[in-house]
Amino acid sequence: MNREEKKRILPRHIAIIMDGNGRWAKKRSLPRTAGHIAGAKTFKTIARYCNKIGLEYLTVYAFSTENWKRPKEEVEGIMDLLRDYLKDAENFKDENIRVRFIGDRTPLAEDIKALMVKNEEGSENATGLNLNIAINYGGRDEITHAVKKIINSGISAEDITEQTISDNLYTAGCPDPDFIIRPSGEYRLSNYLIWQSAYSEYWFSDILWPDFKPKHLEKAIEDYNQRNRRFGGI
Ligand code: FPP
């Protein structure tokens, strides 16, 4: 197998923590929101690139359950970016990308919730990349929500399996992430996909998210190809 072919062994599902927007803006003496604008551009470029190379699933962390603690202007700035992105209902449609949102939608603005449904329905027949966007997402919140759903379903305790839990998460039906990428020099999971990441491989880098390019993703995938995944076996 030559180098080119080797690069093409893709993980089935890549998850990304889009971190470092604030620091990127600070370095340029810009407001934090400018970092999020640049981060949203990178997100679109990377999603398109993942679709182009034939990735099956990409899950990005856009807003966590903890991000509400940020200053009001910053939260509003991120929500406005999301709104703009969603309003372009043709987003990704021509590109055959299927969009799905994961997280608790309850506290989101009504117009955003309606746009999310519109984007999901508008792209549901796409056969290219499955793009999951995590908004007001937290892994612990997701598990808590799943436990409530399971109890309310009336299933008896003995019948609950790991699959029952997986089937009641926001990511139900989606394979677990093979590979989790976190740029910006932080080495933690920050409540992201904590159930699903049990056997994920990780890739960290100092690059700030707005500077993250397809070439960095290619490098990450090359590194992934060197990993020896044993899933607890030998
Ligand atoms: C983390 O960087 C980033 C966020 C909390 C927001 C991510 C949002 C986007 C990339 C925009 C998403 C938009 C769409 C359309 C999905 P940080 O602010 O924590 O950076 P810092 O650690 O340097 O402060």
Side-chain angles (χ1 to χ4, degrees):
M1 194 187 300
N2 67 32
R3 209 175 129 83
E4 265 324 288
E5 284 164 338
K6 228 175 162 184
K7 271 205 310 196
R8 291 291 155 215
I9 299 174
L10 291 174
R12 196 173 170 208
H13 182 177
I14 297 179
I16 304 182
I17 300 176
M18 305 189 287
D19 195 15
N21 297 346
R23 277 162 286 167
W24 183 92
K26 196 171 176 201
K27 265 172 60 181
R28 289 163 179 75
S29 306
L30 294 169
R32 291 181 59 84
T33 305
H36 296 313
I37 293 172
K41 278 194 192 132
T42 298
F43 152 69
K44 286 185 213 169
T45 304
I46 294 296
R48 291 199 170 102
Y49 185 73
C50 287
N51 189 40
K52 192 178 106 186
I53 62 176
L55 186 75
E56 267 189 81
Y57 292 89
L58 173 69
T59 301
V60 294
Y61 210 175
F63 193 85
S64 78
T65 45
E66 288 72 36
N67 287 152
W68 298 105
K69 293 183 211 150
R70 294 186 176 211
K72 195 163 169 266
E73 315 81 74
E74 184 173 346
V75 170
E76 279 172 5
I78 297 177
M79 290 299 156
D80 280 345
L81 265 179
L82 180 64
R83 197 174 264 116
D84 286 350
Y85 163 73
L86 293 172
K87 270 187 194 156
D88 184 8
E90 297 306 305
N91 247 326
F92 296 135
K93 222 171 171 185
D94 296 341
E95 288 155 277
N96 200 23
I97 294 178
R98 184 174 178 182
V99 186
R100 172 174 168 187
F101 298 92
I102 59 169
D104 177 9
R105 300 181 194 195
T106 325
L108 300 177
E110 290 306 319
D111 67 314
I112 291 188
K113 286 194 245 190
L115 286 165
M116 285 165 129
V117 173
K118 196 171 168 194
N119 270 257
E120 286 177 331
E121 290 180 353
S123 68
E124 69 189 356
N125 296 321
T127 53
L129 175 73
N130 289 285
L131 172 63
N132 298 322
I133 305 177
I135 292 171
N136 193 30
Y137 174 88
R140 289 184 175 181
D141 177 69
E142 179 180 42
I143 294 169
T144 308
H145 180 261
V147 169
K148 287 182 186 165
K149 259 174 83 182
I150 293 166
I151 291 175
N152 286 336
S153 76
I155 188 172
S156 62
E158 307 74 60
D159 293 334
I160 296 174
T161 62
E162 290 187 5
Q163 193 60 45
T164 316
I165 313 264
S166 293
D167 289 345
N168 283 281
L169 298 175
Y170 297 124
T171 51
C174 174
D176 288 340
D178 303 291
F179 197 36
I180 299 185
I181 293 175
R182 181 166 196 160
S184 95
E186 309 287 355
Y187 299 86
R188 54 177 175 268
L189 204 45
S190 299
N191 204 11
Y192 194 40
L193 304 172
I194 53 176
W195 171 274
Q196 300 89 331
S197 61
Y199 285 101
S200 303
E201 296 291 329
Y202 293 88
W203 194 83
F204 298 103
S205 130
D206 287 342
I207 302 154
L208 302 175
W209 176 248
D211 293 328
F212 195 90
K213 303 273 182 301
K215 68 176 182 196
H216 300 120
L217 185 63
E218 277 302 342
K219 172 72 177 94
I221 292 170
E222 261 184 68
D223 290 351
Y224 173 83
N225 276 261
Q226 306 305 316
R227 308 277 176 95
N228 176 12
R229 302 185 76 198
R230 292 191 295 276
F231 299 96
I234 53 170

